[in-house]
Amino acid sequence: MGLTDLDLSAARKIPRLNAAVLGESLATEDDNVILPSDQFSSRAHVSSYLQYLEMYQRSIEDPAGFWSDIASSEFFWKKKWDQQVYSENLDVRKGEIKIEWFKGGITNICYNCLDRNIEAGLGTKVALYWEGNEPGFDGTLTYNELLHKVCQLANFLKDNGVRKGDAVVIYMPMLMELPIAMLACARIGAIHSVVFAGFSSESLAQRIIDCKPKVVITCNAVKRGSKVIHLKDIVDAALTESAENAVSVATCLTYENESALKRESTKWKEGRDIWWQDVVPKYPTTCTVEWVDAEYPLFLLYTSGSTGKPKGVLHTTGGYMVYTATTFKYAFDYKPSDVYWCTADCGWITGHSYVTYGPLLNGASVVVFEGAPNYPDPGRCWEIVDKYKVSIFYTAPTLVRSLMREGNEYVTRYSRKSLRVLGSVGEPINPSAWRWFFNVVGESRCPISDTWWQTETGGFMITPLPGAWAQKPGSATFPFFGVQPVLVDEKGNEIEGECSGYLCLKSSWPSAFRTLYNDHERYETTYFKPFPGYYFTGDGCTRDKDGYYWLTGRVDDVINVSGHRIGTAEVESALVSHPQCAEAAVVGIEHEVKGQGIYAFVTIVDSVPYSEELRKSLILMVRNQIGAFAAPDKIHWAPGLPKTRSGKIMRRILRKIASKQLDELGDTSTLADPGVIDQLIELADR
């Protein structure tokens, strides 16, 4: 449903509800909305709902004009795009799904992040503030210095056979060298694939085998909190596995992170492994830009799928560049004086769009944090905020809930006076956590940009614009420019007004992903066949009487744990690879801190007894194959699983048992063995 005059009249009614005002009062449980203050709104990029509506309506009625005006005025193009700004087909009934923006336009995203800003006089401005795991370890890079380091690495990559179109896998912690590596790839037209440095060697090997990189970039180890993680050992195991699958990588560039591990303690393979510090600084600090078409691939990012095989989401250059920069500017009301900190890792889409590309395209100063947010104590975030005078702070509801549990004193001992805008990402934020974030962290004076988007969308889809309209705790509010959300029923019929349904998007936007790497059929089947004519997000959503959108979570077999999307099939596959596991079914349950937790029903082979040792062994199997973040929170022993006569597992029933909603099991008459339910209930607390 587009935003109509009806929506505007509804929005005008909002102030009559119970309301708090930015900077004037705390938000209580009785407050339906938080109103922007006149002072904040008067300085905002979008200062009213009416201004938003005018811009939004133009973006829907004339997307070509709206986006080409932004693209041509705020970015450098070596050559302007073709006459047709965009072309799209989102309907599988009309042929192949295809989305293109600014095709024919020639540009480079690294040039726009660095060279363009330096030419505009920002060379001596700090681009990156780096905060190490241990307090007191830090560093800075200006835009000039960042460009020099990017060029040195780009020259190294070229010297080692990386050409336009080649893939480079990056498996690193949050050092400054991670965004440097991303930008270096983009500069020479190489396609980067960043893999979160919490994934296991098997998960890393899967991704290496799929994209066949010329080079893998890693570091020897990282300290996260008090724990040392030996990343190079994980990479070594992954490269061995990939070589066994006929994918050999000639070069493994390794950064020595000496605060975590000395080089003499690092395992080494001569002829393949190269120390970053020994070679990269010797290269020239200038590197020719590889100009590419707007539709040229920029990066691959693998995301969990419900089939168990990770999906290689492919984003291209021009539309992604324009959209991430524009969403960053408006959703955070970014000003040149701001210092911005996003706590996300570059191994996830948030780190691509809103640690590296979006902020740097706007010439921002960005904080990059290597460590754990509760180390050495739960006040570390606010110590960093005060140290760098952070004005925009963007984090996940998981962290908000975790810090909320630790108590207010860890927050209030720090000033936080620099904070101006807060943000939330990764999953819906519950209203109580929203209010704590607003009242305690932001002292009731900072609006919260509670953003909804996905790896696949590349940038924010539904988000507040600070200062433009009233916020409702827990609601992502309204769509960003050019985004047309619709709610549909199970038959794909659009539902109007106040309702709940499946969230779909009609028409494309510039940063939409273009395909799944080497699997366009799966791209179409997963995202466009469920509701022909629409992009299906996989999320459920409610729209209230005022037109506000409330995300209710995944409706498919993907669990959102601390903002990490984990396919249930991936976890099940890891569990059944255990020699004593006969069958497994995984569901998501509510978790106080992580949003969702992983609950695994496990059937073990005959004659093997249930034991604590076996439980730990099963969890370890998942940790080793996928990563610690995918470890089940609960193993529920299951003599059998509830299945229909055709053999389909009834996950609906498992979800009810896991969440102890035993009076809501519903119809069980179609089960092949209804008696299995009583057995599962009996074993629930073992």
Side-chain angles (χ1 to χ4, degrees), residues 194-212:
V194 183
V195 180
F196 172 58
F199 274 114
S200 67
S201 61
E202 291 184 28
S203 292
L204 176 59
Q206 269 187 317
R207 289 150 174 80
I208 290 171
I209 292 164
D210 195 56
C211 74
K212 301 174 177 58

Side-chain angles (χ1 to χ4, degrees), residues 304-569:
S304 288
S306 55
T307 64
K309 181 178 182 285
K311 300 174 293 189
V313 169
L314 180 74
H315 280 288
T316 54
T317 303
Y320 176 86
M321 173 178 76
V322 171
Y323 195 83
T324 52
T326 307
T327 47
F328 176 82
K329 173 182 172 180
Y330 286 106
F332 295 123
D333 189 46
Y334 170 73
K335 306 289 198 302
S337 57
D338 282 316
V339 174
Y340 167 79
W341 179 24
C342 170
T343 63
D345 191 287
C346 285
W348 308 106
I349 187 65
T350 307
H352 284 61
S353 300
Y354 300 111
V355 172
T356 303
Y357 292 116
L360 294 178
L361 286 164
N362 279 277
S365 295
V366 183
V367 174
V368 174
F369 177 43
E370 176 192 28
N374 58 354
Y375 177 81
D377 65 51
R380 184 70 186 278
C381 283
W382 321 122
E383 178 194 331
I384 293 170
V385 165
D386 282 0
K387 177 176 178 178
Y388 297 106
K389 302 290 186 287
V390 172
S391 53
I392 303 172
F393 178 69
Y394 188 39
T395 193
T398 302
L399 179 57
V400 174
R401 288 190 291 266
S402 174
L403 297 176
M404 183 177 164
R405 290 176 74 189
E406 298 291 347
N408 295 359
E409 63 272 16
Y410 284 107
V411 184
T412 55
R413 69 172 64 161
Y414 297 97
S415 162
R416 295 160 289 113
K417 292 297 181 190
S418 58
L419 287 174
R420 195 175 68 81
V421 175
L422 302 174
S424 168
V425 60
E427 59 188 290
I429 184 170
N430 51 304
S432 62
W434 193 103
R435 288 186 174 92
W436 182 84
F437 200 24
F438 177 80
N439 288 335
V440 179
V441 175
E443 297 178 319
S444 78
R445 57 184 173 75
C446 303
I448 299 175
S449 288
D450 177 9
T451 61
W452 175 81
W453 58 300
Q454 301 174 314
T455 303
E456 294 88 344
T457 70
F460 305 148
M461 295 282 100
I462 304 176
T463 178
L465 299 186
W469 58 71
Q471 295 188 258
K472 296 188 180 186
S475 170
T477 72
F478 299 119
F480 192 73
F481 306 128
V483 177
Q484 295 187 66
V486 294
L487 300 187
V488 301
D489 61 21
E490 290 186 351
K491 294 180 179 177
N493 300 312
E494 287 189 30
I495 321 168
E496 299 293 335
E498 186 178 358
C499 61
S500 295
Y502 298 99
L503 178 61
C504 294
L505 302 169
K506 63 177 178 183
S507 82
S508 69
W509 59 97
S511 69
F513 73 133
R514 304 309 199 239
T515 191
L516 293 175
Y517 184 62
N518 284 338
D519 202 347
H520 197 72
E521 183 182 352
R522 188 181 182 191
Y523 170 73
E524 294 187 343
T525 301
T526 304
Y527 301 99
F528 298 95
K529 280 189 178 172
F531 301 105
Y534 303 100
Y535 165 80
F536 176 45
T537 67
D539 280 332
C541 185
T542 295
R543 186 170 51 228
D544 68 19
K545 64 184 188 322
D546 299 314
Y548 282 63
Y549 288 86
W550 302 74
L551 277 296
T552 54
R554 303 295 298 173
V555 296
D556 58 13
D557 293 327
V558 175
I559 304 171
N560 195 326
V561 179
S562 299
H564 303 162
R565 286 173 57 186
I566 301 164
T568 55

Side-chain angles (χ1 to χ4, degrees), residues 37-47 333-335 420 466:
S37 67
D38 290 341
Q39 183 183 23
F40 193 102
S41 293
S42 66
R43 300 172 183 170
H45 290 306
V46 180
S47 58
D333 189 46
Y334 170 73
K335 306 289 198 302
R420 195 175 68 81

Side-chain angles (χ1 to χ4, degrees), residues 133-172:
N133 179 67
E134 298 293 337
F137 281 78
D138 53 31
T140 60
L141 287 177
T142 64
Y143 273 87
N144 282 329
E145 292 165 339
L146 178 57
L147 176 59
H148 291 164
K149 288 186 176 292
V150 165
C151 288
Q152 287 178 321
L153 180 58
N155 286 322
F156 166 85
L157 292 173
K158 287 164 68 174
D159 210 23
N160 281 267
V162 177
R163 299 289 178 262
K164 180 181 178 182
D166 289 337
V168 174
V169 164
I170 303 167
Y171 186 78
M172 297 189 84

Side-chain angles (χ1 to χ4, degrees), residues 214-259:
K214 280 281 182 72
V215 172
V216 171
I217 303 177
T218 188
C219 96
N220 57 346
V222 64
K223 271 189 83 174
R224 189 155 176 86
S226 56
K227 183 181 180 183
V228 176
I229 302 164
H230 295 263
L231 299 181
K232 178 66 165 49
D233 291 355
I234 295 169
V235 171
D236 288 346
L239 290 174
T240 299
E241 185 177 336
S242 62
E244 290 168 357
N245 286 272
V247 178
S248 294
V249 178
T251 304
C252 178
L253 180 66
T254 306
Y255 186 85
E256 182 189 2
N257 191 13
E258 59 184 355
S259 65

